[in-house]
Amino acid sequence: MAINILVRFNPAKPKAGDEVRVQIVAQHPMEPGTRRDASGKLIPADHITEVNVTMDGQLIAQVKPGPGTSANPLFAFKMKASKAGQLKVACKDLNGQTGERTADLTLA
C-alpha cells in the first residue's frame, strides 16, 4: 500500500514575500506495534519514519515521526513565499512503503 499524501497552501496563492502555511496530510494507519486485534494477536508496527519536503529540489523540512504519532498525521509549517516553485513531499514507513506528492506554489 502506497502512502497517499495531500498538500495544501494557505493562502492558496500568496503574494511574493508573504508567509504561507503548508499543510501535509499523510494517509497512513500509523500502528505503533503495541496494540492487539480482536483475537488478541499483536498488530505489527507500521508507521511513517521519515517525511522530507523539498522546494525546487532543496530540502526545506524534514520530520522523523515515531510510533506515537496518530493515524493520518497532519504536518504543518510556515515559510516565506519568495517565488513560485514546486514543493515535493516524500514519505517512507517502517515497512519500506513510500509516497510522494508534488504541489505547485503559485503567487498572486
Side-chain angles (χ1 to χ4, degrees):
M1 170 182 91
I3 302 168
N4 189 32
I5 301 167
L6 308 170
V7 178
R8 183 169 71 176
F9 300 110
N10 189 9
K13 289 187 177 184
K15 294 177 184 170
D18 282 357
E19 190 173 78
V20 61
R21 180 178 168 93
V22 180
Q23 295 177 308
I24 300 163
V25 175
Q27 295 177 329
H28 194 281
M30 300 294 284
E31 286 295 339
T34 57
R35 294 183 337 114
R36 297 188 181 276
D37 65 15
S39 65
K41 291 182 184 175
L42 199 60
I43 300 170
D46 181 19
H47 54 85
I48 294 173
T49 58
E50 192 171 318
V51 180
N52 291 307
V53 183
T54 59
M55 185 70 167
D56 292 332
Q58 181 179 355
L59 184 67
I60 61 169
Q62 184 176 58
V63 181
K64 296 196 178 216
T69 306
S70 69
N72 304 316
L74 166 70
F75 305 102
F77 63 93
K78 292 180 181 179
M79 66 179 212
K80 190 163 288 227
S82 56
K83 63 177 183 161
Q86 187 176 69
L87 186 98
K88 178 178 169 185
V89 180
C91 294
K92 183 171 89 173
D93 74 10
L94 194 61
N95 296 319
Q97 295 295 317
T98 60
E100 193 173 282
R101 175 63 56 110
T102 57
D104 292 324
L105 176 63
T106 55
L107 301 180

